[in-house]
Amino acid sequence: MAAAAGHAVAVGHEALAGHEAAAGHAAASGHEKAEGQQHPIAIYLWIWALLFVFSTFSYLIDYFHLHGYLRWSLIITFMLLKAGFIVAIFMHMAWERLALKFAILIPPLCLLVLIGLMAIEGDYTFLTRLGSFLH
């Protein structure tokens, strides 16, 4: 029994030594596998500049004193564009699998639809009560 255990340990050491030698050979030959994905820094710099431009436009909305639906539609548009670029590039969503994109993006979109439906229902209720109280 002890001889079998000693043989297993010896085989384990040989396998470990063989693995280390193979890893050393791969590193020495320059064919080692890169960890993770590598993206050019230019992509990040361009998106950073674009986010700066969108933020400037958001500031200009207040500077030019825009009001009403134009103001809010522009603010929401710039906000969604900035959030989309941040998620796609800086959070690496652009390079993920489609299933993961759906798993992350579909639930918030469903919540936005439900919030929109609640806002429509709330406006209907408010206008119905307002019409009822005025008569």
Side-chain angles (χ1 to χ4, degrees):
M1 185 74 153
H7 178 68
V9 171
V11 170
H13 286 298
E14 290 172 6
L16 182 60
H19 178 68
E20 289 172 353
H25 177 66
S29 66
H31 295 294
E32 59 190 38
K33 196 173 192 176
E35 297 280 333
Q37 296 176 342
Q38 301 295 323
H39 307 292
I41 191 82
I43 291 173
Y44 296 103
L45 294 176
W46 277 107
I47 297 301
W48 179 81
L50 194 59
L51 291 173
F52 182 79
V53 169
F54 287 151
S55 295
T56 303
F57 287 158
S58 296
Y59 173 76
L60 290 176
I61 291 170
D62 285 333
Y63 182 78
F64 289 118
H65 303 292
L66 297 177
H67 295 287
Y69 286 117
L70 176 63
R71 170 191 170 89
W72 291 109
S73 62
L74 287 173
I75 287 174
I76 289 173
T77 300
F78 290 134
M79 176 192 66
L80 289 175
L81 283 171
K82 290 190 302 185
F85 279 117
I86 289 169
V87 168
I89 303 301
F90 293 108
M91 296 177 72
H92 305 281
M93 187 64 69
W95 298 283
E96 292 296 338
R97 303 176 105 183
L98 187 61
L100 184 60
K101 290 178 188 178
F102 284 160
I104 292 174
L105 297 176
I106 295 295
L109 291 176
C110 290
L111 287 175
L112 286 175
V113 168
L114 292 175
I115 289 171
L117 290 173
M118 288 187 290
I120 292 169
E121 191 270 336
D123 287 343
Y124 172 77
T125 302
F126 175 74
L127 293 174
T128 303
R129 289 180 180 172
L130 186 65
S132 172
F133 289 140
L134 291 177
H135 292 283

